[in-house]
Amino acid sequence: MPPSIFRFLHQILVGKLYIPAVWQATLRQTDEKYPVIVFSHGLSGWRTVYSSLCIELASYGFVVAAVEHRDYSASASFYKKQIRMSASGTNPGASLCDLDDLLNEQTDFESHDLIDGKWDPGQGIQDVGPFSHANEWMIYQPATKDNETSMRSHQLRYRAKECMEVLDLLEDLNKRRYIVNVLESNIDSGMFYNQLDLKNAFFIGHSFGGSTGILCLATELRFKAGIFLDPWMLPFFEDQSCFSMISEPFLCLLVKSFQTKKSLSILKNLQEMHNQSQFYFIKDANHRDLCDTPFVNKCSLSFSSKVGLRIERFAALDLTSDLILQYLGHHLGKSFRCGSNKIESLKKKFLRSEEYFSKLIA
């Protein structure tokens, strides 16, 4: 789409929106460490489409690491690859290569390019610097009916691995280990030194990110608890063996209109395996109401809520953030905020507890 047309449509549908955050602000140094949250987006989503919820959590003193998955389930993502440059600064036949491959791959060196076992910079293209970075784009890949189950199951494992690597990265930051940052940024990673409370690490995910959280809690003991926002259960249709491996508590928030009877029956099995878990339903909401979508399609959302066809425009987000903060506060022994009269009214009108399961499955 031409940028001019996109800007015109964006102005009509969205208008001007501003994220209430300070870009590249320094972390306030405190004696009390910051608990951390790893956040996983849904299918065809991306890391910033949950800005409202993530910033809400950050404003209460959490360090939120929002992942953008590189399993081709994100709408579009990129990573930095390095371009090999010639010694003269020109770039004849340059190719993209991963840094790890570059450092570990020795087959690029021909014997006649070596002098006494060392690389001669006067010969051809250097394989060790100088470098410039280039974006390698990964565009969302849809599945087919034949390969969807196997493809999503594979992506699920890849996503869980990425979330565990985020915890590794947070540990490195907390211990002030050297971190390679290839993005243009003035952020000093040293500000995180000894400031992160990794004993209080939580997982939050929406949709595909919710199912990613189920696998993470089953395989990663560093997570103290998990919150699954309307998890997409298709990756578990054929194999639910990981359910029994979950040892930590979790909160599961479901949207009635998104879940099928098959997915609800699987979730019911998950609930029965874990008595310490909490399940809630939001009536008259849409699956995408839990991300930033309510800020976008304001005309249709406002009309449908006024005529009683669905929940109020931002009600699902308000309920979600309130439930999350109460749940996290319970695990941290804190009280982040008391529900306002508006929130309590929304709970009575739209929120249902786990007993709602039986009615929906019947």
Side-chain angles (χ1 to χ4, degrees):
M1 182 182 297
S4 58
I5 297 178
F6 179 83
R7 284 193 292 267
F8 175 73
L9 293 176
H10 186 276
Q11 181 64 31
I12 294 176
L13 295 175
V14 182
K16 290 185 177 181
L17 291 178
Y18 300 91
I19 295 177
V22 179
W23 180 245
Q24 297 188 355
T26 57
L27 189 70
R28 186 181 66 179
Q29 303 295 305
T30 65
D31 294 332
E32 186 176 1
K33 296 183 179 182
Y34 293 90
V36 300
I37 294 172
V38 176
F39 194 98
S40 173
H41 65 75
L43 187 67
S44 75
W46 58 95
R47 68 187 185 279
T48 60
V49 79
Y50 299 88
S51 60
S52 175
L53 182 56
C54 288
I55 289 176
E56 178 80 358
L57 297 172
S59 72
Y60 281 88
F62 293 90
V63 169
V64 184
V67 185
E68 189 166 270
H69 291 289
R70 290 177 179 150
D71 58 342
Y72 295 96
S73 68
S75 177
S77 185
F78 69 88
Y79 61 98
K80 293 289 187 178
K81 300 192 82 172
Q82 297 209 351
I83 301 176
R84 289 182 282 184
M85 305 293 291
S86 71
S88 61
T90 59
N91 196 19
S95 62
L96 292 174
C97 60
D98 284 313
L99 181 59
D100 290 341
D101 293 339
L102 176 70
L103 297 177
N104 298 326
E105 183 63 52
Q106 301 298 323
T107 57
D108 288 339
F109 296 95
E110 298 292 339
S111 59
H112 58 77
D113 292 328
L114 296 175
I115 300 177
D116 296 330
K118 297 180 181 181
W119 176 252
D120 179 10
Q123 300 289 333
I125 297 176
Q126 286 184 277
D127 285 272
V128 182
F131 299 104
S132 64
H133 292 99
N135 294 343
E136 181 77 0
W137 283 93
M138 307 179 72
I139 308 301
Y140 170 76
Q141 291 185 359
T144 64
K145 289 184 178 180
D146 295 331
N147 73 350
E148 183 166 33
T149 302
S150 60
M151 178 179 176
R152 301 312 183 198
S153 178
H154 175 76
Q155 287 177 318
L156 182 73
R157 294 192 296 272
Y158 193 92
R159 284 167 146 257
K161 177 178 177 291
E162 287 182 318
C163 292
M164 297 172 196
E165 289 174 345
V166 170
L167 278 181
D168 294 338
L169 176 64
L170 292 172
E171 285 187 352
D172 289 341
L173 288 170
N174 196 50
K175 293 180 180 179
R176 207 168 194 172
R177 293 173 179 152
Y178 178 70
I179 303 295
V180 178
N181 182 11
V182 298
L183 298 175
E184 295 180 4
S185 172
N186 295 321
I187 293 179
D188 177 16
S189 61
M191 66 183 176
F192 292 102
Y193 173 62
N194 203 31
Q195 289 293 304
L196 304 181
D197 182 5
L198 292 166
K199 292 182 179 179
N200 286 306
F202 301 94
F203 184 99
I204 302 179
H206 173 241
S207 192
F208 206 178
S211 52
T212 302
I214 293 174
L215 184 57
C216 278
L217 253 65
T219 55
E220 178 53 78
L221 297 178
R222 288 177 292 178
F223 285 116
K224 185 174 183 179
I227 299 175
F228 314 140
L229 305 177
D230 211 17
W232 185 43
M233 301 307 292
L234 184 141
F236 297 113
F237 276 10
E238 294 185 354
D239 183 12
Q240 298 116 44
S241 58
C242 69
F243 288 2
S244 60
M245 299 167 59
I246 298 175
S247 58
E248 301 301 331
F250 59 86
L251 166 70
C252 190
L253 181 61
L254 303 169
V255 172
K256 174 187 173 184
S257 61
F258 178 70
Q259 301 293 339
T260 64
K261 284 194 174 183
K262 184 172 183 179
S263 64
L264 285 171
S265 64
I266 295 174
L267 284 163
K268 184 65 175 176
N269 293 334
L270 178 64
Q271 179 213 16
E272 292 174 348
M273 287 184 184
H274 302 281
N275 296 327
Q276 79 277 25
S277 61
Q278 297 181 29
F279 282 74
Y280 293 95
F281 289 83
I282 300 181
K283 290 181 57 182
D284 303 330
N286 185 278
H287 181 63
R288 291 180 177 84
D289 286 347
L290 305 186
C291 58
D292 289 344
T293 304
F295 291 93
V296 179
N297 199 2
K298 55 186 178 183
C299 299
S300 61
L301 289 176
S302 298
F303 175 77
S304 58
S305 62
K306 286 180 180 179
V307 298
L309 298 176
R310 52 168 293 135
I311 197 170
E312 286 92 332
R313 186 178 171 195
F314 297 107
L317 271 176
D318 289 339
L319 284 172
T320 299
S321 61
D322 186 79
L323 284 172
I324 289 175
L325 286 167
Q326 286 192 24
Y327 189 74
L328 295 177
H330 169 73
H331 285 282
L332 295 172
K334 295 182 178 181
S335 179
F336 288 109
R337 67 180 183 187
C338 299
S340 63
N341 292 334
K342 176 186 175 182
I343 292 294
E344 294 304 319
S345 176
L346 289 174
K347 286 181 178 179
K348 292 179 181 179
K349 189 175 181 180
F350 297 108
L351 200 63
R352 299 293 180 268
S353 59
E354 55 195 42
E355 289 79 9
Y356 199 57
F357 256 133
S358 302
K359 180 181 177 181
L360 293 177
I361 296 176

